mmCIF file of all heavy atoms in Angstrom:
data_model
loop_
_atom_site.group_PDB
_atom_site.id
_atom_site.type_symbol
_atom_site.label_atom_id
_atom_site.label_comp_id
_atom_site.label_asym_id
_atom_site.label_seq_id
_atom_site.Cartn_x
_atom_site.Cartn_y
_atom_site.Cartn_z
ATOM 1 N N CYS F 3 -87.608 128.224 -83.520
ATOM 2 C CA CYS F 3 -86.619 129.200 -83.993
ATOM 3 C C CYS F 3 -87.202 130.582 -84.222
ATOM 4 O O CYS F 3 -86.619 131.585 -83.832
ATOM 5 C CB CYS F 3 -85.990 128.716 -85.287
ATOM 6 S SG CYS F 3 -85.498 127.006 -85.185
ATOM 7 N N PHE F 10 -84.871 139.793 -80.933
ATOM 8 C CA PHE F 10 -83.666 140.638 -80.913
ATOM 9 C C PHE F 10 -83.764 141.861 -81.793
ATOM 10 O O PHE F 10 -82.759 142.410 -82.199
ATOM 11 C CB PHE F 10 -82.455 139.822 -81.362
ATOM 12 C CG PHE F 10 -82.329 138.532 -80.599
ATOM 13 C CD1 PHE F 10 -82.039 137.349 -81.263
ATOM 14 C CD2 PHE F 10 -82.518 138.512 -79.240
ATOM 15 C CE1 PHE F 10 -81.919 136.161 -80.553
ATOM 16 C CE2 PHE F 10 -82.401 137.317 -78.542
ATOM 17 C CZ PHE F 10 -82.095 136.149 -79.196
ATOM 18 N N LEU F 24 -74.599 156.617 -88.723
ATOM 19 C CA LEU F 24 -74.143 155.258 -88.483
ATOM 20 C C LEU F 24 -74.043 154.487 -89.790
ATOM 21 O O LEU F 24 -73.073 153.794 -90.036
ATOM 22 C CB LEU F 24 -75.106 154.533 -87.542
ATOM 23 C CG LEU F 24 -74.900 154.782 -86.052
ATOM 24 C CD1 LEU F 24 -75.975 154.091 -85.255
ATOM 25 C CD2 LEU F 24 -73.534 154.296 -85.630
ATOM 26 N N ASP F 44 -60.585 132.561 -93.699
ATOM 27 C CA ASP F 44 -61.357 133.121 -94.781
ATOM 28 C C ASP F 44 -61.311 132.242 -96.028
ATOM 29 O O ASP F 44 -62.320 131.986 -96.653
ATOM 30 C CB ASP F 44 -60.800 134.507 -95.100
ATOM 31 C CG ASP F 44 -61.892 135.424 -95.531
ATOM 32 O OD1 ASP F 44 -62.953 135.377 -94.905
ATOM 33 O OD2 ASP F 44 -61.680 136.151 -96.499
ATOM 34 N N GLU F 50 -65.275 126.245 -98.915
ATOM 35 C CA GLU F 50 -66.499 125.566 -98.485
ATOM 36 C C GLU F 50 -67.691 126.059 -99.279
ATOM 37 O O GLU F 50 -68.461 125.298 -99.850
ATOM 38 C CB GLU F 50 -66.772 125.897 -97.017
ATOM 39 C CG GLU F 50 -66.387 124.875 -96.004
ATOM 40 C CD GLU F 50 -67.353 123.728 -95.912
ATOM 41 O OE1 GLU F 50 -68.488 123.925 -95.441
ATOM 42 O OE2 GLU F 50 -66.961 122.639 -96.324
ATOM 43 N N ARG F 65 -83.800 121.175 -111.026
ATOM 44 C CA ARG F 65 -85.193 121.457 -110.742
ATOM 45 C C ARG F 65 -85.839 122.164 -111.937
ATOM 46 O O ARG F 65 -86.956 121.838 -112.326
ATOM 47 C CB ARG F 65 -85.314 122.328 -109.489
ATOM 48 C CG ARG F 65 -86.724 122.339 -108.908
ATOM 49 C CD ARG F 65 -86.837 123.228 -107.704
ATOM 50 N NE ARG F 65 -86.442 122.554 -106.481
ATOM 51 C CZ ARG F 65 -85.515 122.995 -105.656
ATOM 52 N NH1 ARG F 65 -84.874 124.117 -105.917
ATOM 53 N NH2 ARG F 65 -85.213 122.334 -104.564
ATOM 54 N N GLY F 152 -112.504 99.040 -119.946
ATOM 55 C CA GLY F 152 -113.355 99.122 -118.768
ATOM 56 C C GLY F 152 -112.645 98.752 -117.485
ATOM 57 O O GLY F 152 -113.279 98.575 -116.447
ATOM 58 N N ASN F 156 -103.348 99.526 -113.689
ATOM 59 C CA ASN F 156 -102.759 99.618 -112.359
ATOM 60 C C ASN F 156 -101.302 100.079 -112.386
ATOM 61 O O ASN F 156 -100.626 100.080 -113.412
ATOM 62 C CB ASN F 156 -102.965 98.338 -111.548
ATOM 63 C CG ASN F 156 -102.184 97.196 -112.115
ATOM 64 O OD1 ASN F 156 -101.626 97.296 -113.203
ATOM 65 N ND2 ASN F 156 -102.150 96.104 -111.389
ATOM 66 N N LEU F 157 -100.863 100.480 -111.213
ATOM 67 C CA LEU F 157 -99.587 101.176 -111.060
ATOM 68 C C LEU F 157 -98.427 100.335 -111.576
ATOM 69 O O LEU F 157 -97.524 100.832 -112.248
ATOM 70 C CB LEU F 157 -99.378 101.530 -109.586
ATOM 71 C CG LEU F 157 -98.087 102.251 -109.243
ATOM 72 C CD1 LEU F 157 -97.959 103.535 -110.026
ATOM 73 C CD2 LEU F 157 -98.038 102.561 -107.757
ATOM 74 N N ASP F 231 -99.426 110.429 -97.153
ATOM 75 C CA ASP F 231 -98.564 111.491 -96.617
ATOM 76 C C ASP F 231 -99.178 112.829 -96.981
ATOM 77 O O ASP F 231 -99.609 113.018 -98.100
ATOM 78 C CB ASP F 231 -97.180 111.473 -97.285
ATOM 79 C CG ASP F 231 -96.530 110.098 -97.282
ATOM 80 O OD1 ASP F 231 -97.199 109.100 -97.023
ATOM 81 O OD2 ASP F 231 -95.328 110.057 -97.562
ATOM 82 N N TYR X 91 -115.232 95.237 -116.117
ATOM 83 C CA TYR X 91 -114.021 95.520 -115.341
ATOM 84 C C TYR X 91 -113.820 94.460 -114.274
ATOM 85 O O TYR X 91 -114.746 93.902 -113.739
ATOM 86 C CB TYR X 91 -114.075 96.918 -114.729
ATOM 87 C CG TYR X 91 -115.178 97.110 -113.714
ATOM 88 C CD1 TYR X 91 -114.928 96.910 -112.365
ATOM 89 C CD2 TYR X 91 -116.450 97.511 -114.104
ATOM 90 C CE1 TYR X 91 -115.932 97.094 -111.442
ATOM 91 C CE2 TYR X 91 -117.448 97.698 -113.174
ATOM 92 C CZ TYR X 91 -117.190 97.499 -111.855
ATOM 93 O OH TYR X 91 -118.164 97.689 -110.936
ATOM 94 N N GLN X 99 -105.068 95.496 -105.921
ATOM 95 C CA GLN X 99 -104.099 96.589 -106.010
ATOM 96 C C GLN X 99 -104.265 97.541 -104.833
ATOM 97 O O GLN X 99 -103.287 97.957 -104.200
ATOM 98 C CB GLN X 99 -104.296 97.348 -107.325
ATOM 99 C CG GLN X 99 -103.285 98.454 -107.462
ATOM 100 C CD GLN X 99 -103.509 99.390 -108.629
ATOM 101 O OE1 GLN X 99 -102.572 99.809 -109.238
ATOM 102 N NE2 GLN X 99 -104.747 99.723 -108.916
ATOM 103 N N ARG X 178 -88.440 111.837 -98.500
ATOM 104 C CA ARG X 178 -89.888 111.674 -98.333
ATOM 105 C C ARG X 178 -90.293 112.164 -96.950
ATOM 106 O O ARG X 178 -91.335 112.781 -96.789
ATOM 107 C CB ARG X 178 -90.241 110.193 -98.492
ATOM 108 C CG ARG X 178 -91.718 109.957 -98.353
ATOM 109 C CD ARG X 178 -92.055 108.523 -98.617
ATOM 110 N NE ARG X 178 -93.483 108.318 -98.599
ATOM 111 C CZ ARG X 178 -94.067 107.156 -98.859
ATOM 112 N NH1 ARG X 178 -93.334 106.115 -99.181
ATOM 113 N NH2 ARG X 178 -95.368 107.045 -98.806
ATOM 114 N N SER X 185 -86.870 121.273 -89.497
ATOM 115 C CA SER X 185 -86.679 122.466 -88.660
ATOM 116 C C SER X 185 -85.860 122.148 -87.416
ATOM 117 O O SER X 185 -85.057 122.969 -86.970
ATOM 118 C CB SER X 185 -88.011 123.093 -88.299
ATOM 119 O OG SER X 185 -88.782 122.196 -87.553
ATOM 120 N N THR X 189 -82.320 124.000 -86.267
ATOM 121 C CA THR X 189 -82.068 124.521 -84.925
ATOM 122 C C THR X 189 -80.782 123.941 -84.362
ATOM 123 O O THR X 189 -79.936 124.659 -83.820
ATOM 124 C CB THR X 189 -83.226 124.157 -83.978
ATOM 125 O OG1 THR X 189 -84.447 124.473 -84.596
ATOM 126 C CG2 THR X 189 -83.099 124.887 -82.659
ATOM 127 N N MET X 207 -67.794 123.943 -90.210
ATOM 128 C CA MET X 207 -68.002 123.533 -91.604
ATOM 129 C C MET X 207 -69.028 122.425 -91.698
ATOM 130 O O MET X 207 -69.325 121.747 -90.709
ATOM 131 C CB MET X 207 -66.682 123.047 -92.212
ATOM 132 C CG MET X 207 -65.613 124.103 -92.210
ATOM 133 S SD MET X 207 -66.054 125.485 -93.274
ATOM 134 C CE MET X 207 -64.657 126.564 -93.018
ATOM 135 N N ARG X 242 -77.287 140.162 -80.376
ATOM 136 C CA ARG X 242 -77.636 140.192 -78.952
ATOM 137 C C ARG X 242 -76.422 139.834 -78.105
ATOM 138 O O ARG X 242 -76.169 140.450 -77.067
ATOM 139 C CB ARG X 242 -78.757 139.204 -78.695
ATOM 140 C CG ARG X 242 -79.180 139.203 -77.263
ATOM 141 C CD ARG X 242 -80.451 138.399 -77.020
ATOM 142 N NE ARG X 242 -80.687 138.342 -75.580
ATOM 143 C CZ ARG X 242 -80.902 137.236 -74.881
ATOM 144 N NH1 ARG X 242 -80.931 136.084 -75.502
ATOM 145 N NH2 ARG X 242 -81.089 137.289 -73.582
ATOM 146 N N ASP X 265 -67.237 138.006 -92.858
ATOM 147 C CA ASP X 265 -66.760 136.894 -93.691
ATOM 148 C C ASP X 265 -67.897 135.953 -94.043
ATOM 149 O O ASP X 265 -68.017 135.492 -95.189
ATOM 150 C CB ASP X 265 -65.671 136.108 -92.949
ATOM 151 C CG ASP X 265 -64.380 136.889 -92.859
ATOM 152 O OD1 ASP X 265 -64.218 137.838 -93.656
ATOM 153 O OD2 ASP X 265 -63.552 136.571 -91.992
ATOM 154 N N ARG X 276 -82.229 131.208 -104.893
ATOM 155 C CA ARG X 276 -83.506 131.579 -105.486
ATOM 156 C C ARG X 276 -84.428 132.050 -104.369
ATOM 157 O O ARG X 276 -84.115 131.910 -103.194
ATOM 158 C CB ARG X 276 -84.106 130.403 -106.245
ATOM 159 C CG ARG X 276 -84.257 129.197 -105.369
ATOM 160 C CD ARG X 276 -84.672 127.976 -106.125
ATOM 161 N NE ARG X 276 -85.177 127.002 -105.153
ATOM 162 C CZ ARG X 276 -86.346 126.430 -105.247
ATOM 163 N NH1 ARG X 276 -87.125 126.657 -106.263
ATOM 164 N NH2 ARG X 276 -86.753 125.580 -104.327
ATOM 165 N N ARG X 293 -76.315 145.555 -87.395
ATOM 166 C CA ARG X 293 -76.399 145.857 -85.974
ATOM 167 C C ARG X 293 -75.072 145.628 -85.285
ATOM 168 O O ARG X 293 -74.681 146.377 -84.376
ATOM 169 C CB ARG X 293 -77.500 145.012 -85.345
ATOM 170 C CG ARG X 293 -78.862 145.436 -85.884
ATOM 171 C CD ARG X 293 -80.017 144.981 -85.032
ATOM 172 N NE ARG X 293 -79.720 145.156 -83.630
ATOM 173 C CZ ARG X 293 -79.859 144.205 -82.727
ATOM 174 N NH1 ARG X 293 -80.299 143.017 -83.077
ATOM 175 N NH2 ARG X 293 -79.563 144.429 -81.472
ATOM 176 N N TYR X 299 -69.063 150.278 -83.960
ATOM 177 C CA TYR X 299 -68.843 151.715 -84.121
ATOM 178 C C TYR X 299 -68.959 152.438 -82.785
ATOM 179 O O TYR X 299 -68.119 153.251 -82.418
ATOM 180 C CB TYR X 299 -69.853 152.254 -85.121
ATOM 181 C CG TYR X 299 -69.944 153.743 -85.160
ATOM 182 C CD1 TYR X 299 -68.983 154.508 -85.793
ATOM 183 C CD2 TYR X 299 -71.004 154.410 -84.518
ATOM 184 C CE1 TYR X 299 -69.056 155.883 -85.810
ATOM 185 C CE2 TYR X 299 -71.081 155.785 -84.541
ATOM 186 C CZ TYR X 299 -70.110 156.518 -85.183
ATOM 187 O OH TYR X 299 -70.205 157.878 -85.202
#
Side-chain angles (χ1 to χ4, degrees):
Chain F
C3 313
F10 309 136
L24 277 176
D44 214 42
E50 260 282 291
R65 196 182 275 125
N156 68 351
L157 179 57
D231 310 14
Chain X
Y91 64 93
Q99 182 188 218
R178 181 176 185 177
S185 62
T189 312
M207 300 295 178
R242 181 170 174 232
D265 288 341
R276 56 188 197 127
R293 293 198 42 231
Y299 167 77

